[in-house]
Amino acid sequence: MALFLDQHFGIDDMITIAGTNPSFDKCFLENLLKKYEVPFKFSHRHIDTNTLGVLLYNSFKSHILFDTLGLNRTTDKHNALEDAKLSLKVFQITY
């Protein structure tokens, strides 16, 4: 994790979390990085694709938002990695 952060962020960069309901992920990452004494700086801001879905597409569920935008899921069951990849695509489409 430290190597990834070093490769993709500068030592003084503030990291903005993006995803579906990212406050949960931010807490998880903060605890994980703190446990392994990995320095990090998360921004107080985050980008929530769920909020984008509600405001821009009247979509209250991530799977409906993905379908609305033509983003194909491989399963109807929750898959965190796939959700992360599709959330990135939602962000790219809406910005």
Side-chain angles (χ1 to χ4, degrees):
M1 179 70 79
L3 179 61
F4 174 85
L5 293 172
D6 287 343
Q7 289 175 339
H8 297 282
F9 301 96
I11 193 161
D12 293 322
D13 288 350
M14 298 293 287
I15 300 169
T16 300
I17 301 292
T20 303
N21 300 315
S23 57
F24 170 81
D25 300 317
K26 183 178 177 184
C27 288
F28 173 80
L29 288 170
E30 285 175 335
N31 289 330
L32 179 68
L33 295 174
K34 194 177 294 184
K35 178 180 178 179
Y36 291 101
E37 299 178 356
V38 176
F40 63 91
K41 292 182 182 177
F42 285 116
S43 171
H44 66 282
R45 295 181 181 93
H46 62 266
I47 300 166
D48 185 359
T49 55
N50 189 53
T51 301
L52 294 174
V54 170
L55 295 175
L56 301 176
Y57 302 100
N58 199 34
S59 171
F60 293 86
K61 302 271 186 184
S62 60
H63 68 279
I64 295 171
L65 175 61
F66 299 153
D67 292 344
T68 299
L69 296 176
L71 303 174
N72 298 323
R73 294 173 293 132
T74 59
T75 180
D76 288 335
K77 296 181 180 177
H78 176 70
N79 179 310
L81 179 58
E82 182 175 68
D83 284 358
K85 290 177 179 179
L86 293 176
S87 292
L88 172 61
K89 290 181 180 183
V90 168
F91 177 73
Q92 292 169 329
I93 290 169
T94 57
Y95 281 92

